[in-house]
Amino acid sequence: MVEDFIRASRLGRWLERVFSSAPSGAGTHSDVESAYARWAPVYDWVFTAPLVFGQRAAARAANTLSGDLLEVGVGTGLSLPLYNRNLTVTGIDLSEPMLDRARERVARKHLGNVAELRAMDAADLTYADGRFDVATVMYVMTVVPDPDKVLAELERVVRPGGTVIVVNHFASRSGLFAWIERGLARFAGKLGWDPLFERETVLDNTRMTLVQEERIAPFGLFTMMVFKRDNV
Ligand SMILES: C[S@@+](CC[C@H](N)C(=O)[O-])C[C@H]1O[C@@H](n2cnc3c(N)ncnc32)[C@H](O)[C@@H]1O
């Protein structure tokens, strides 16, 4: 009965629309674009709290470096104010409505070190080999259909000796979270991410060297991995 009431309400109808259009792990680009067009107006409101810890951890790691930084899947630009001003930041995302929010943030917060925000596919970057000193990719690997291609592109566009920072949720091996994730997996399509996404999907698909791995709040649900590209 409560469920019927929620369904009939405006909020219920909106939630149903949002979730029914959320991209699956294997969603097409137009699925992703239409889903994030719907999420863009409320994204910050819903996701700031759970995602801020990973964004801060990635920015902390990036801020020990200098030069040109690429953020892949920059979304509404929640992380942009967290980067040191000595990093020149470029952000790309598939979704123009998400990028519009990021552009508004850059203007509102006077982020003069953000050089460019462009619509682009993470699996097909138009930047030259070795163009960046560091790249970050947060909460994106589970929503793209081809995480191996995204990793290969990240490796390609950072210079030899450069750094790639990945923040993501990976499947828990055991315990309460593993149990919850197995239950959630049935709804992966509607959630827009794969709760059973394996850590090995990243580790086994890159030639870069893992130099740091850290569990992130809340409750260690997310993990940050820092990779170095070989110096050759
Ligand atoms: C969960 S949001 C994360 C946004 C941001 N990284 C953050 O921390 O708030 C995932 C983002 O990835 C973007 N995205 C999904 N597939 C993409 C692709 N193939 N290329 C570029 N961006 C993509 C979406 O448009 C969305 O903005």
Side-chain angles (χ1 to χ4, degrees):
M1 190 166 148
V2 175
E3 211 173 292
D4 289 344
F5 174 75
I6 292 171
R7 269 206 190 114
S9 69
R10 280 185 65 182
L11 174 67
R13 286 200 300 275
W14 178 82
L15 284 172
E16 202 160 309
R17 264 200 356 258
V18 166
F19 281 107
S20 65
S21 68
S24 71
T28 64
H29 286 173
S30 68
D31 289 341
V32 172
E33 285 180 67
S34 60
Y36 280 99
R38 290 188 198 284
W39 276 115
V42 293
Y43 183 88
D44 293 359
W45 183 68
V46 177
F47 291 110
T48 297
L51 304 189
V52 69
F53 304 99
Q55 291 158 351
R56 282 192 194 141
R60 249 195 327 271
N63 288 343
T64 62
L65 307 162
S66 59
D68 286 336
L69 177 145
L70 174 68
E71 182 171 335
V72 166
V74 65
T76 61
L78 283 170
S79 54
L80 295 176
L82 305 175
Y83 295 121
N84 276 348
R85 298 298 186 268
N86 68 337
L87 286 164
T88 303
V89 178
T90 297
I92 69 103
D93 200 285
L94 207 53
S95 165
E96 277 291 0
M98 295 289 272
L99 285 170
D100 285 342
R101 302 269 154 175
R103 291 183 187 111
E104 282 165 25
R105 189 186 312 279
V106 167
R108 197 170 62 245
K109 295 197 175 269
H110 308 290
L111 303 177
N113 62 323
V114 177
E116 186 180 40
L117 293 169
R118 269 177 71 182
M120 202 180 288
D121 179 7
D124 188 17
L125 300 173
T126 60
Y127 298 111
D129 297 0
R131 160 74 178 74
F132 296 95
D133 299 287
V134 50
T136 57
V137 59
M138 292 175 252
Y139 313 110
V140 173
M141 301 305 282
T142 29
V143 303
V144 293
D146 36 21
D148 50 332
K149 280 195 193 152
V150 174
L151 266 176
E153 280 295 81
L154 288 166
E155 181 175 349
R156 181 183 70 74
V157 300
V158 297
R159 63 170 170 75
T163 303
V164 172
I165 301 167
V166 179
V167 175
N168 222 91
H169 170 266
F170 296 107
S172 307
R173 296 258 177 257
S174 58
L176 179 65
F177 284 131
W179 183 77
I180 294 172
E181 287 160 12
R182 278 197 299 275
L184 283 175
R186 280 183 294 151
F187 307 105
K190 291 204 190 285
L191 284 169
W193 56 279
D194 176 8
L196 300 181
F197 187 79
E198 294 281 347
R199 181 175 167 273
E200 285 66 29
T201 313
V202 171
L203 292 179
D204 295 350
N205 277 302
T206 184
R207 291 169 305 175
M208 295 184 290
T209 308
L210 181 67
V211 293
Q212 185 186 343
E213 187 170 7
E214 193 181 316
R215 297 297 286 271
I216 304 284
F219 313 113
L221 262 180
F222 300 104
T223 300
M224 176 176 72
M225 292 175 175
V226 181
F227 293 93
K228 285 273 177 215
R229 183 178 159 183
D230 289 349
N231 255 315
V232 284

